[in-house]
Amino acid sequence: MAALILVLNGPNLNLLGTREPEIYGTATLDDIHQMMNKSASALGWQIDFRQSNHEGELVDWIQWGRVHASAIIINAGAYTHTSVAILDALRAFDKAIIEVHLSNLFQRETFRHHSYITPVARGLICGFGARGYALALDALRDIVS
Ligand code: CA2
């Protein structure tokens, strides 16, 4: 059966491409979704691509992923810096987690330098804009069979 990669996007990422292009680039979330579908199908994988502005919904989806997903790629948006609930849910996911951010967190405000997710992630990709999602999929090629 084709591996299913769950791609989770947190609050405000639905606004991508509409504001702050100097920080987040010009690609919309739909552009990223389409790009990932293409890359994944070349690998024989499926993508389940979701966005929510609600912490609990993200937690529910991570729990769903425990049963259905081979890996999680997550950009938790601002919840990255605040959410113990998302950390706890990810801790219960026993397959690979890749953390992605469009911007380079370490060139930004100090409150963005800490991530609750990095300690449970296989790796962190930040600062490459939308390309970071493609890099995360590429990283999974050596991890997901
Ligand atoms: O760089 C990233 O990917 C972030 O996860 C984006 C979050 C931010 O809180 C994190 O610190 C870093 C914010 C996403 C908001 O995206 C917008 C895009 C366009 C217009 C408004 C918000």
Side-chain angles (χ1 to χ4, degrees), residues 53-71:
N53 293 328
H54 304 280
E55 187 176 19
E57 189 160 39
L58 291 162
V59 168
D60 287 343
W61 289 345
I62 294 164
Q63 291 188 12
W64 178 91
R66 294 177 70 213
V67 180
H68 298 99
S70 298

Side-chain angles (χ1 to χ4, degrees), residues 12-13 15 19-20 24 75 77-78 81 101-103 105 112:
N12 297 308
L13 285 162
L15 299 177
R19 284 186 56 235
E20 304 191 89
Y24 299 120
N75 180 351
H81 318 298
H101 297 282
L102 297 150
S103 60
L105 301 178
R112 295 186 204 272

